[in-house]
Amino acid sequence: MSLTDSSSAQIARVASAASKTLGVLPTEHRNNALSAIYDALSKAKEAILHANTQDLESASAAAADGQLSQSVLKRLDLGRPGKWDDMLQGILDVRNLDDPLRTKGLERMLLEKADDPASCGARLQGPGTEKVGNVTLRTLLDDGLTLERITCPIGTLLIIFEARPEVIANIAALAIKSGNAAILKGGKESTASFRAISTAISSALESTAVPNAAIQLVTTRDVIDSLLECDKHIDLVIPRGSNELVRHIKANTRIPVLGHADGLCSIYIHPDADTDSSVRILIDSKLGYPAACNSVETLLVHEDALSTHLPSIASALLEKGCSLRCDPASKTALQSSLTPEKATLLQDATDTDYDTEFLSPILAIKTVTAPNPDLALSLAIAHINAHGSHHTDAILTASESVAKTFQAGVDSACVFWNT
């Protein structure tokens, strides 16, 4: 991995050239690089966390002046309990994944089933060698004419992100494993952390077969727009950050963009849900890491659960400092069941609250009212599809049929049923 202040065109050209080497490296070489990165980061922990402390000090001053949000500040903290260990474990987890670029799946299945491997188009090169490309589909078009779909690297990725220092290790591991070169441009809030992590990774790669230029951290300021013009050498842009950042990138490049900006996530409580588990799930999903993009922001409550489930949930959240913004029905129910001290903490929700990603200890609560449970479920699904960001949503229910209907109806990348 290299720190670079070269021109955008030079950065893109070098990365593209490195991707050609990386994309054909054997599995063992790429896995060895990940092991080397893991060891290097482990040894550099003290230096990296010291650099992260410097970033935190500067960011805390900016947050105190109102120039930086608290959610960004929390994401910046690499010393948060478990965050460092999770970053390192993630590298090992990626290393241990099956290689997406080498013979597996259909090719292996055909070999195992065939009396004569050559008759099914198997093209292994002999003991100890690897066939580049994982065959995922094979169609016999005519005698002697076989069409195959084979996995291959994308090429060169441009990843633009904000104040998440651990992202460098995440991306480096995933890019190397998948045979893709990556150009990284991080937010200025994490500059010291980025440099320290990049230095460790660069040192690790020097002793491996992976080209150092395959993973580049751009240090030049105001370089994003010029990189977005390098469509000849960059194959995919992946922005990780604010809605404003993602929209800007989509509007200013001809390169394909894989971007998702908001994490406006909801949980729906059906009246048959277990109360105790509902409390635990809400505490974890709202307060475990409020700045995460899959933290719950809206709680939808069936009207029959207002008196049975919501009081325990609300009481537990309020005790832990969470602000609750309630619609009239949920507020009325809670005012009659909570202690006067807690009831005074309840706030009135506005329509905007149900379209807001708070990224902080704030939860919007909305009641789902309908003459029957099936219609209530449909209304909850409709609300999520209309107001959510299609990221992560969940249902709390004891009914498998209700859960399956919810999972089929909600249009999100992740739809969970907590049992």
Side-chain angles (χ1 to χ4, degrees), residues 261-296:
D262 297 325
L264 213 171
C265 309
S266 301
I267 291 179
Y268 170 55
I269 299 181
H270 205 59
D272 63 355
D274 179 76
T275 302
D276 291 338
S277 64
S278 297
V279 173
R280 294 195 301 272
I281 289 167
L282 261 298
I283 290 176
D284 180 69
S285 60
K286 178 68 259 186
L287 300 178
Y289 187 15
C293 55
N294 61 352
S295 173
V296 65

